[in-house]
Amino acid sequence: MLTDRFHRVHDYLRISLTDNCNFRCSYCMPEEQITLLPKAQLMQADEIFAIARTFADLGVKKIRLTGGEPMARKDFADILAGLSRLPVKLAMTTNGVMLDQYMANLQQAGLTSINISLDSLLPDKFRKITRRDAFARVWSNILGCIAAGMHVKLNVVMMKGVNDDEIAAFTELTRKLPVHVRFIEFMPFDQNRWDRGKVIGSAEVMEVVAQQYALYKLKDGKNDTDRKFGIMGHAGTLCFISTLTDSFCATCNRLRLTADGKMKNCLFGAEEFDVLAAFRSGADIAPVIRKAISRKHERLGGQFNDYRELQPGQLDNRSMIRIGG
Ligand code: SAM
Ligand code: SF4
């Protein structure tokens, strides 16, 4: 078991497959041309399998593939197939634009649930946020996943003045469609134009919803970061992820591996632990993983307490696209 100083058991690993992406979301990546990691620095497919196996041996029960855009990686299908042989539940977070190409692979790998990012229901605004004209494809793929019987979660990063006028539209979506809309607070990362004035707290979003809809509480899992609500007569649900205004660090069970094989024990943590270098040197990587766990801070990577006191650029961290969300 991977237990930290605060008795938190860590059994959920997020693996970033690439720092590359076919979208350019403004809240996720720096504005200037990004330099991608050289291919040789990325974990290769066989390295991913071996490293993931060690995590599974140490008690990890669930692995989420992320990025960058996980499906932008050319050997995505092989990686998926390899990981599906491990005794873990597989999940993925994606921008959804390539889902139609990999649906059969995902089903063969046993994926029954998928998180798809969708910050606007308006094609023009979607294009402005992602800097790609891809709303129609993403939407069609969302409907394809629903038709295939998948549990579909929609990740919506709420930003003041950008998409806060669409709270009702996203809520309305859950009336007929069995989708689970997750309103996520806008978080600060390296060069992502964050400022606290753009944050809309979950409580505020919930208030807007409650003006028109009667929410009732649904049961959350013990390590869930989203607080789930139903609306009478709706096929889908709403969830609120309040990372900044009401953080869920006390029940955190997450670990992260970046595409270049560095372990991060917290999304906001500055420290990185080089699992890939240890692996390539032929060393046992278990001690590196255990060291990373032992150094985990109680809250928010030990970098801040109250987001209202944060200045843009203050945190020592990578950009989200290079961490793996
Ligand atoms: N490309 C995939 C996608 O967009 O879903 C996976 C990687 S993306 C980094 C993972 C998740 O992080 C997405 O749901 C995205 O919306 C979220 N994300 C990125 N930057 C964020 C930020 N600054 N605040 C909150 N969520 C963010
Ligand atoms: Fe790409 Fe996802 Fe980041 Fe958007 S949020 S730039 S789709 S990694």
Side-chain angles (χ1 to χ4, degrees):
M1 272 210 301
L2 295 169
T3 309
D4 74 357
R5 291 177 292 153
F6 308 97
H7 312 291
R8 295 174 293 201
V9 176
H10 292 73
D11 57 4
Y12 180 9
L13 173 69
R14 301 164 85 99
I15 303 181
S16 172
L17 297 187
T18 173
D19 61 340
N20 197 0
C21 188
N22 39 20
F23 284 11
R24 292 285 179 272
C25 304
S26 52
Y27 54 77
C28 176
M29 63 197 301
E31 198 149 18
E32 78 271 16
Q33 199 59 37
I34 52 161
T35 320
L36 295 175
L37 287 164
K39 212 169 158 210
Q41 272 182 39
L42 296 182
M43 292 185 290
Q44 304 302 301
D46 54 341
E47 292 172 330
I48 294 176
F49 304 145
I51 291 172
R53 181 171 291 285
T54 303
F55 273 97
D57 291 345
L58 291 171
V60 162
K61 296 192 173 60
K62 178 173 173 182
I63 293 182
R64 176 173 298 279
L65 303 181
T66 181
E69 173 49 42
M71 287 183 283
R73 195 164 152 151
K74 296 237 164 12
D75 53 357
F76 172 73
D78 295 337
I79 294 173
L80 187 67
L83 289 176
S84 73
R85 290 191 274 275
L86 293 179
V88 295
K89 185 175 159 48
L90 274 186
M92 179 168 72
T93 302
T94 172
N95 62 29
V97 76
M98 292 173 79
L99 272 169
D100 47 330
Q101 293 171 47
Y102 288 110
M103 202 57 179
N105 305 80
L106 293 167
Q107 288 184 314
Q108 269 160 24
L111 244 92
T112 52
S113 170
I114 190 144
N115 291 18
I116 305 174
S117 300
L118 185 75
D119 304 304
S120 177
L121 295 168
L122 305 170
D124 271 354
K125 200 194 287 183
F126 179 96
R127 181 172 40 76
K128 281 191 192 118
I129 296 172
T130 62
R131 290 178 254 172
R132 291 293 181 270
D133 192 7
F135 178 83
R137 276 182 68 190
V138 172
W139 184 248
S140 145
N141 285 340
I142 289 171
L143 297 180
C145 287
I146 296 171
M150 283 186 143
H151 183 84
V152 176
K153 301 184 191 175
L154 296 183
N155 284 358
V156 186
V157 178
M158 288 308 304
M159 292 163 287
K160 206 162 261 176
V162 176
N163 57 358
D164 50 340
D165 55 341
E166 293 191 61
I167 296 172
F170 272 109
T171 306
E172 196 49 34
L173 207 60
T174 65
R175 188 186 294 275
K176 297 259 166 62
L177 291 178
V179 288
H180 307 279
V181 170
R182 293 150 43 98
F183 292 114
I184 303 176
E185 290 177 352
F186 179 27
M187 297 180 276
F189 296 101
D190 187 39
Q191 297 177 65
N192 75 342
R193 279 141 285 178
W194 181 88
D195 80 65
R196 64 188 111 100
K198 291 190 197 142
V199 175
I200 313 174
S202 292
E204 212 179 312
V205 180
M206 212 184 290
E207 250 172 52
V208 175
V209 176
Q211 283 166 12
Q212 290 183 50
Y213 300 88
L215 291 168
Y216 63 90
K217 187 76 195 81
L218 294 168
K219 198 170 181 312
D220 300 319
K222 81 174 159 57
N223 300 112
D224 286 352
T225 55
D226 52 358
R227 305 207 164 99
K228 301 178 191 60
F229 290 82
I231 301 173
M232 208 57 82
H234 281 218
T237 64
L238 291 187
C239 314
F240 299 89
I241 305 188
S242 54
T243 319
L244 295 179
T245 59
D246 185 12
S247 66
F248 26 76
C249 304
T251 54
C252 183
N253 65 339
R254 286 143 196 258
L255 301 169
R256 290 184 150 79
L257 199 56
T258 64
D260 55 345
K262 309 275 196 306
M263 196 176 152
K264 285 180 79 77
N265 57 25
C266 173
L267 186 54
F268 295 115
E271 269 188 302
E272 299 186 350
F273 302 84
D274 202 339
V275 172
L276 182 61
F279 182 83
R280 285 184 176 172
S281 75
D284 179 7
I285 60 169
V288 184
I289 297 171
R290 289 200 187 284
K291 182 175 174 196
I293 305 269
S294 75
R295 301 271 278 267
K296 180 155 172 158
H297 291 267
E298 189 169 12
R299 296 189 70 236
L300 301 166
Q303 292 219 67
F304 66 103
N305 270 318
D306 186 341
Y307 82 97
R308 288 166 298 187
E309 287 160 13
L310 262 183
Q311 297 305 321
Q314 181 187 324
L315 297 183
D316 179 11
N317 206 349
R318 299 181 177 217
S319 56
M320 179 61 130
I321 196 164
R322 297 195 56 228
I323 298 172

